Amino acid sequence: MRESSAGRTPQHAQFVLFGAMGDLAWRLIGPALYNLHLDGHLPQEFALIGVDREISVDALRQRWRDGVDRFSRRGRAEQADWDSFAGLLQVHAMDLTQPAQYEGLKVRLDVAAEKAGAQVFYLAIPPRLFAAVTDGLASVGLQRPRGRARVVVEKPLGDSLQAFCRIDQSLRSHFEESQIYRMDHFLGKETVQNILAMRFANPIFEPIWNRRYIDHVAITVAESIGVGHRAGYYEHAGALRDMVQNHLLQVMCLVAMEPPVAYDADDIRNKKLDVLRACRRIPADDVRRFAVRGQYAGGWIEGEAVPGYCDEPDIAAGSNTETYAAIKLLVDNWRWQDVPFYLRTGKRLAATVSEISIRFRDIPHNAFPADTGLNSQPVRLVIQIQPQEGIILKFMAKQPGSPLRLRPVDMRFSYCDAFKTASPGAYETLLRDLLAGDATLFMRADQVEAAWSLLMPVLEAWAANPALDFPNYPAGTWGPEAAERLVARDGRAWLTPSAPRAAASSGRCD
Ligand code: BG6
């Protein structure tokens, strides 16, 4: 059973971060560890060992200080706070591809091994190096004992079902499934975790959470940023692999899953897996009816001209990588039969906003006069993931006065108003759970495998038939027209996200 994280942090832990000088450590892991430290959520005895080919304590401190100043939710570090955190940083220089060098790491870790509660090996490195590291760790026995050693990996976990299976096999040749923590940072977001609380800690939603009352579900993860400095990775990935295969499908599973029997890692993950297993296979010869891709052309975002994808640094001219993907899924089970789930995501869209829109069915009979305005906007529940964090119920109400007019109104819950405090960052939540040995918010291999296998027909069809119309949406819009047609064919439309805001403005309470 999953308990609250408080009180579960082990007394002792060793945290070995491979790739400590890299981008992930700089942007996300370092700032998250720093905040956990300031909030008193790290183990009392915590050995934080940054591993990289070329590394020194000074270089690591300098790089992480920069990362904290730029990316920490607390803003720039106060000198005293930084100094207390910087004192934790140790380093170990080694070439990860040299098996002989793992002995040195073991000796280093053995010094405090008898006290080491959890021993975390975080692979913040490209997946091509995973096998070298796990083989190296196993060659000196660092994959044991099972209850202590944990290995953490992040996407990209392959670029296809086959590639994922290869990576996973090599991880599992040394580590048990219970020792492997696969990160999907969306699962650490408070608003995403709250989906289960909303659905299963209240009696009012579950009775209407089904095909009788719900017309369709739309999940939007829109970003106004472009590909940034990640061309090398993104060119090969594209929006479907980068976002849909993991974040959007995981969110969909939380919306569509059956109630768990217990708030327990395996029970919840089993129920999520059932959703993926129930998704109707996309026919390889009819992918067009279920999936749409797009690539941004130059355009305007917040009054600034921005280049098209192919004019971004290090992107090949004429690249066929999609920066937008929309997909329609049907879940073949009693609860969801014939209720489409529309998922869309893209870069350089009109706003940065992630939300789930649950559109309820129309009333069965309209007793009001035709001119009252009923159904000018359908009733829906909007779960705002970011930057606004909250839930909005949109429904019809009588406008004061006469003649009788009906008008859509909003009933709002906002985290900021309700809790008056900033949510912890997703990485903070996940790192705390990792140290506590709680895998509920991490992806199990069978889930990742099911997600890949669901998307393979689309990936294969897209690879075999390059898009002829790229670029097909101007930066600063809501994506290609074909995405509108995807839902229009079903007599529906994407609804503009509830409160689009520019990327820079945050709805967070900080
Ligand atoms: C990452 C993707 O997993 O998630 C990025 O690789 C994307 O392309 C990012 O920008 C979005 O995450 P967040 O938390 O900023 O919404």
Side-chain angles (χ1 to χ4, degrees):
M1 171 81 74
R2 184 173 199 258
E3 297 156 17
S4 76
S5 284
R8 294 178 309 134
T9 307
Q11 294 263 306
H12 309 278
Q14 289 180 327
F15 192 97
V16 182
L17 181 59
F18 294 96
M21 294 295 284
D23 183 72
L24 190 60
W26 170 64
R27 276 187 306 119
L28 294 162
I29 305 169
L33 288 168
Y34 168 78
N35 282 315
L36 288 177
H37 170 69
L38 293 193
D39 289 337
H41 294 322
L42 290 181
Q44 270 169 10
E45 284 194 38
F46 188 59
L48 176 47
I49 302 167
V51 179
D52 224 313
R53 184 197 286 262
E54 281 174 22
I55 192 166
S56 67
V57 172
D58 284 348
L60 184 66
R61 285 187 180 162
Q62 204 180 347
R63 178 135 172 93
W64 279 29
R65 171 76 194 250
D66 180 58
V68 165
D69 283 345
R70 285 182 203 222
F71 305 113
S72 160
R73 66 179 162 83
R74 287 188 155 91
R76 287 183 74 83
E78 298 287 337
Q79 193 58 41
D81 291 344
W82 171 255
D83 288 344
S84 75
F85 176 69
L88 293 177
L89 300 181
Q90 305 175 35
V91 296
H92 185 83
M94 68 179 278
D95 180 345
L96 304 184
T97 62
Q98 294 304 312
Q101 300 197 6
Y102 287 83
E103 194 53 52
L105 180 64
K106 182 178 162 51
V107 171
R108 175 82 190 261
L109 298 183
D110 274 352
V111 174
E114 71 280 8
K115 284 207 282 181
Q119 199 163 50
V120 173
F121 299 104
Y122 200 125
L123 311 193
I125 49 178
R128 66 187 149 75
L129 293 173
F130 287 176
V133 174
T134 51
D135 288 353
L137 293 172
S139 71
V140 294
L142 281 172
Q143 85 284 31
R144 303 233 179 275
R146 267 186 231 150
R148 188 175 78 189
R150 288 160 211 170
V151 64
V152 189
V153 289
E154 292 213 29
K155 78 164 212 273
L157 297 178
D159 56 5
S160 65
L161 176 60
Q162 272 190 332
F164 167 71
C165 291
R166 272 197 305 275
I167 291 178
D168 208 53
Q169 218 170 2
S170 96
L171 285 170
R172 287 208 262 177
S173 61
H174 302 303
F175 291 87
E176 305 274 317
E177 173 63 33
S178 63
Q179 297 177 277
I180 305 173
Y181 288 71
R182 297 176 195 81
M183 295 278 275
D184 180 326
H185 79 279
F186 259 59
L187 296 179
K189 291 182 192 281
E190 283 294 333
T191 42
V192 172
Q193 293 180 65
N194 190 49
I195 298 170
L196 291 191
M198 188 198 83
R199 287 191 58 197
F200 303 128
N202 297 292
I204 56 170
F205 297 108
E206 201 44 26
I208 56 167
W209 211 257
N210 56 51
R211 64 193 302 274
R212 256 189 97 189
Y213 293 95
I214 294 178
D215 177 78
H216 72 273
V217 176
I219 302 178
T220 299
V221 178
E223 296 180 287
S224 59
I225 53 165
V227 66
H229 62 286
R230 298 163 74 221
Y233 154 74
Y234 200 85
E235 262 290 81
H236 188 63
L240 199 69
R241 291 185 179 92
D242 184 46
M243 299 292 287
V244 181
Q245 191 276 339
N246 35 72
H247 309 324
L248 278 89
L249 284 179
Q250 289 293 320
V251 169
M252 175 186 161
C253 287
L254 292 169
V255 174
M257 68 186 257
E258 294 302 314
V261 175
Y263 201 86
D264 149 287
D266 269 326
D267 195 24
I268 289 178
R269 296 188 298 176
N270 288 343
K271 297 289 192 305
K272 287 170 67 186
L273 176 63
D274 282 347
V275 175
L276 295 173
R277 287 178 43 230
C279 283
R280 193 176 302 169
R281 301 292 103 181
I282 295 172
D285 56 358
D286 205 8
V287 163
R288 260 165 216 268
R289 269 201 320 123
F290 294 89
V292 163
R293 58 186 151 166
Q295 188 190 79
Y296 59 85
W300 292 83
I301 300 220
E302 289 173 60
E304 256 184 50
V306 296
Y309 178 70
C310 287
D311 296 321
E312 298 271 18
D314 302 321
I315 302 292
S319 160
N320 212 255
T321 299
E322 84 281 357
T323 58
Y324 177 99
I327 185 164
K328 166 182 164 181
L329 293 171
L330 291 159
V331 183
D332 285 333
N333 63 16
W334 275 57
R335 186 187 288 269
W336 295 117
Q337 193 62 225
D338 299 329
V339 177
F341 283 74
Y342 301 109
L343 278 47
R344 65 173 170 171
T345 184
K347 300 231 181 263
R348 286 286 189 229
L349 295 182
T352 291
V353 56
S354 298
E355 68 175 37
I356 305 161
S357 168
I358 292 154
R359 155 77 150 96
F360 292 97
R361 286 192 185 283
D362 290 340
I363 51 170
H365 166 66
N366 180 6
F368 295 97
D371 60 356
T372 52
L374 180 64
N375 270 346
S376 61
Q377 183 166 345
V379 174
R380 61 185 171 126
L381 185 74
V382 178
I383 301 174
Q384 299 178 299
I385 297 175
Q386 59 188 26
Q388 263 63 46
E389 297 180 322
I391 295 174
I392 307 174
L393 180 62
K394 292 176 171 286
F395 62 102
M396 301 303 292
K398 180 188 171 299
Q399 189 171 315
S402 55
L404 177 64
R405 288 272 180 276
L406 298 168
R407 201 164 66 77
V409 291
D410 290 356
M411 206 155 82
R412 286 173 184 266
F413 150 69
S414 126
Y415 277 73
C416 186
D417 295 343
F419 299 114
K420 315 259 183 277
T421 170
S423 307
Y427 268 77
E428 291 166 46
T429 302
L430 294 174
L431 291 179
R432 260 187 104 177
D433 283 2
L434 165 68
L435 286 163
D438 181 347
T440 312
L441 302 179
F442 293 82
M443 292 184 297
R444 220 170 47 189
D446 48 9
Q447 293 181 306
V448 185
E449 192 176 326
W452 276 121
S453 95
L454 187 60
L455 296 183
M456 282 320 289
V458 182
L459 289 168
E460 282 163 4
W462 286 359
N465 305 289
L468 300 176
D469 61 346
F470 277 4
N472 58 359
Y473 69 97
T477 64
W478 285 105
E481 272 177 27
E484 303 299 328
R485 290 197 293 275
L486 178 82
V487 290
R489 270 200 295 276
D490 297 340
R492 301 186 173 98
W494 298 105
L495 296 173
T496 304
S498 50
R501 291 267 176 100
S505 80
S506 156
R508 293 173 59 108
C509 202
D510 38 24

